[in-house]
Amino acid sequence: MTEQYLDNHKKVVLKNGFTVIDSVFTDDEIKKIIEVIQNADTSAENFRKSDDLFAVRQFLKEVPEIKSLVFNGNVKAIIRELFGEKYFVVKSIYFDKPETSNWYVAYHQDLTISVDKKLKMQGFGPWTTKKNQFAVQPPLPVLENIYTIRIHLDDTDENNGALKVVPGSHAKGIYRPETIDWNVETEEICKVEKGGIMIMKPLTLHGSNRTTDGRRRRVIHIEFSDMELPEELNWSERIN
């Protein structure tokens, strides 16, 4: 991956709010990642298991041996060239939507961050608390600063719930889905091959349709920032 190649993707992300980069992981690397996940101890409360979803919150902390596999040379180069030298992990999730899963996710922006405690702070709110995990909507500059990498462990297209996005919507601040003017906006389906990644700004309006062909979709979702939070507040999952 040359600097020119990655610089082109950086320009696309800044313009559209997302980009797809194929062949970031080899088939062998994906196989090893899947093996580590399958062998993980799933008894902790951050593991969620149901008929239509298997998910792990604070994924990199719960499955620490995955880190060396996820952050291969390509991913490190992508973070350095597209985000910057000072970016660090602030959130990580793994989810597996199996063949029986048929979720529909309406258009939305990712408007909250995960933090270590709840504080009264100007510009931060509303708050939510779930199993001693705190989430809050921060001021807009914090959200604008975040990048998300979605690592795809399966081929994903319009038939098995690939993300659909509104290009350029990340640059319009808080954008309520009910106000989308489809005379102005366009929709794009983000096909990602197994071993590829999607990079997205969390303010990009995104959603997904129901699966129609019964193929599973496994994704590792990691968010990055280079901003320190004010006062006593800390990112709950910070990993340098």
Side-chain angles (χ1 to χ4, degrees), residues 16 18 104-108 157-159 161-169 172 175 177 180-191 198 204-210:
N16 293 336
F18 67 96
Y104 167 81
V105 180
Y107 267 112
H108 64 286
D157 57 29
E158 66 274 13
N159 298 312
L163 279 193
K164 53 184 182 179
V165 298
V166 178
S169 53
K172 299 182 180 181
Y175 193 159
I180 298 174
D181 182 354
W182 290 113
N183 294 312
V184 176
E185 306 290 12
T186 57
E187 176 179 282
E188 187 169 331
I189 304 292
C190 295
K191 299 179 184 179
M198 178 182 177
T204 305
L205 279 164
H206 58 285
S208 61
N209 294 328
R210 289 184 172 87

Side-chain angles (χ1 to χ4, degrees), residues 9-57:
H9 279 287
K10 182 175 183 177
K11 290 173 181 174
V12 173
V13 172
L14 294 175
K15 178 185 176 184
N16 293 336
F18 67 96
T19 193
V20 173
I21 305 178
D22 292 320
S23 304
V24 175
F25 294 86
T26 65
D27 285 347
D28 189 51
E29 287 174 321
I30 292 297
K31 182 182 177 183
K32 288 178 181 174
I33 288 171
I34 291 171
E35 285 175 355
V36 169
I37 294 169
Q38 288 174 336
N39 291 328
D41 177 5
T42 62
S43 61
E45 64 177 14
N46 281 334
F47 288 76
R48 175 183 169 190
K49 300 180 287 291
S50 68
D51 290 340
D52 62 355
L53 179 69
F54 172 65
V56 187
R57 294 185 180 277

Side-chain angles (χ1 to χ4, degrees), residues 69-237:
L69 300 175
V70 165
F71 293 105
N72 69 2
N74 284 337
V75 170
K76 287 179 180 178
I78 288 164
I79 293 168
R80 185 172 61 249
E81 298 296 333
L82 269 72
F83 308 170
E85 295 279 359
K86 297 180 180 179
Y87 270 74
F88 47 85
V89 173
V90 296
K91 187 175 186 177
S92 62
I93 305 168
Y94 167 77
F95 63 83
D96 173 5
K97 293 184 178 178
E99 296 88 340
T100 54
S101 177
N102 202 12
W103 283 26
Y104 167 81
V105 180
Y107 267 112
H108 64 286
Q109 296 172 302
D110 293 338
L111 296 177
T112 63
I113 59 173
S114 297
V115 294
D116 64 337
K117 62 178 77 71
K118 182 176 180 178
L119 296 172
K120 273 194 174 181
M121 299 177 65
Q122 188 168 357
F124 284 77
W127 290 79
T128 59
T129 307
K130 200 172 188 178
K131 293 184 177 178
N132 290 324
Q133 295 191 28
F134 303 95
V136 64
Q137 183 171 325
L140 193 60
V142 177
L143 294 172
E144 290 174 335
N145 180 258
I146 294 172
Y147 287 91
T148 299
I149 289 181
R150 294 167 56 90
I151 300 167
H152 284 247
L153 308 185
D154 301 288
D155 289 329
T156 309
D157 57 29
E158 66 274 13
N159 298 312
N160 69 329
L163 279 193
K164 53 184 182 179
V165 298
V166 178
S169 53
H170 69 298
K172 299 182 180 181
I174 305 300
Y175 193 159
R176 299 300 176 192
E178 61 271 16
T179 68
I180 298 174
D181 182 354
W182 290 113
N183 294 312
V184 176
E185 306 290 12
T186 57
E187 176 179 282
E188 187 169 331
I189 304 292
C190 295
K191 299 179 184 179
V192 187
E193 296 176 356
K194 173 184 174 182
I197 68 170
M198 178 182 177
I199 298 173
M200 186 176 72
K201 300 294 284 180
L203 289 175
T204 305
L205 279 164
H206 58 285
S208 61
N209 294 328
R210 289 184 172 87
T211 299
T212 58
D213 65 1
R215 284 182 297 136
R216 75 192 301 183
R217 179 161 62 98
R218 291 169 289 185
V219 173
I220 299 170
H221 171 116
I222 308 175
E223 297 177 15
F224 300 81
S225 177
D226 67 352
M227 291 183 73
E228 301 297 342
L229 298 175
E231 297 182 37
E232 308 284 311
L233 202 60
N234 299 296
W235 300 99
S236 66
E237 294 182 59

Side-chain angles (χ1 to χ4, degrees), residues 50-68:
S50 68
D51 290 340
D52 62 355
L53 179 69
F54 172 65
V56 187
R57 294 185 180 277
Q58 299 199 12
F59 176 60
L60 296 177
K61 285 188 175 182
E62 292 290 353
V63 191
E65 58 271 34
I66 207 80
K67 282 188 284 191
S68 62

